[in-house]
Amino acid sequence: MRFALIISAFLLAAIAPRAEAHAFLDHAEPKVGGTVTNSPAEIKIWFTQNLEPAFSTLEVQDAQGKEVDKKDAYLDAKDKSLFLVSLPQLPAATYTVIWHAVSVDTHKTQGRFEFTVK
Ligand SMILES: [Cu+2]
C-alpha cells in the first residue's frame, strides 16, 4: 500500500508538467480587452498549441448574449494554432468572445474576453 502511494506520487510529478501543454489563449486580434475604431472583419485568436477543429468553438456575443458572428469558426490553413471567426459590420458596442478549445493532445480549455468597437 505504501509502495503504491509512493509510485502514484511519482506518477503525478511526472504528469504535472504536461498541464502546461494545454491550448491557452496566447494573444488575440482585436486584443483582449481592447478597443478598435472599425468593426473588425474577423476575430483571430492565437493559441499556445495546435487545436483540434472538430471539437473547438469560437463565438462572439453582444451585450444581450446574442451571437453576432457568422458561425464559420475555422482554423487557419497554415497555422493550426490560429482560430478565426468572421464578423458582419458591428455597431459600436462591447462584445464578448467565448472560446472552447480542444488541443491536439485532447485537453480542453475555455475562456472569454471582451473587446469594444468605438
Ligand atoms: Cu494539454
Side-chain angles (χ1 to χ4, degrees):
M1 180 58 188
R2 191 175 295 167
F3 182 70
L5 281 176
I6 291 166
I7 291 293
S8 356
F10 272 110
L11 282 175
L12 280 176
I15 290 165
R18 283 207 206 154
E20 291 164 21
H22 290 27
F24 289 112
L25 184 152
D26 185 63
H27 63 286
E29 205 181 289
K31 285 182 186 151
V32 172
T35 298
V36 291
T37 46
N38 293 309
S39 176
E42 70 242 316
I43 295 291
K44 297 182 184 178
I45 303 182
W46 284 264
F47 286 90
T48 55
Q49 198 178 11
N50 287 357
L51 300 192
E52 177 52 64
F55 305 108
S56 301
T57 62
L58 177 54
E59 189 177 320
V60 182
Q61 294 182 355
D62 65 14
Q64 285 70 46
K66 180 175 166 263
E67 185 172 2
V68 296
D69 58 79
K70 292 186 176 175
K71 302 185 179 181
D72 65 345
Y74 62 101
L75 280 186
D76 183 78
K78 288 178 187 158
D79 181 357
K80 303 298 183 197
S81 70
L82 171 55
F83 204 19
L84 309 92
V85 69
S86 307
L87 295 173
Q89 184 73 28
L90 295 175
T94 294
Y95 298 90
T96 303
V97 178
I98 300 161
W99 56 268
H100 290 81
V102 176
S103 56
V104 286
D105 64 9
T106 71
H107 293 146
K108 293 176 191 167
T109 49
Q110 58 182 287
R112 58 172 62 209
F113 67 89
E114 292 186 347
F115 72 95
T116 299
V117 177
K118 202 160 72 168

